[in-house]
Amino acid sequence: LKDSRFQLVNFSDNELRVSLSNVSLSDEGRYVCQLYTDPPQEAYADITVLVPPGSPIILSQEDVVSEGNETELTCLSMGSKPAASIRWMKGEDELTGW
């Protein structure tokens, strides 16, 4: 337990339990519990880390558009895992046909 984020929760003859605080994406992966018997035994746990999306950011080509013209809006949501699902709404109606 060289990482201070790992804490020993329980240690007994039949259980070794640890906790991990401040989990980050880099903690994702396979963890191994080794039992030192003859022959040695191992059990595995695959940990998936989910990351909520950040607040969406909307970029606009123009702040004011003349009637009849065209403009483009871009919505960005970065840093999530899995990737965020983005949809456009105008009032209560979802914009479709993309």
Side-chain angles (χ1 to χ4, degrees):
L1 301 178
K2 296 177 181 178
D3 187 328
S4 64
R5 297 175 306 130
F6 284 98
Q7 298 295 317
L8 183 59
V9 174
N10 189 37
F11 177 74
S12 67
D13 289 341
N14 62 352
E15 180 182 65
L16 177 60
R17 188 183 325 173
V18 296
S19 70
L20 174 59
S21 61
N22 198 22
V23 174
S24 69
L25 197 54
S26 64
D27 294 315
E28 184 168 280
R30 175 167 279 196
Y31 289 78
V32 181
C33 173
Q34 297 178 328
L35 183 61
Y36 292 101
T37 57
D38 189 17
Q41 299 177 51
E42 296 180 338
Y44 302 92
D46 292 309
I47 302 296
T48 300
V49 177
L50 303 178
V51 181
S55 296
I57 300 168
I58 296 179
L59 306 174
S60 175
Q61 288 183 331
E62 301 91 12
D63 291 331
V64 177
V65 181
S66 297
E67 184 175 27
N69 287 353
E70 182 177 301
T71 191
E72 185 176 302
L73 301 173
T74 302
C75 181
L76 301 171
S77 178
M78 304 200 294
S80 66
K81 183 175 181 256
S85 175
I86 298 175
R87 60 185 184 158
W88 281 101
M89 307 287 290
K90 182 175 185 271
E92 297 294 318
D93 299 323
E94 182 172 0
L95 301 179
T96 59
W98 303 78

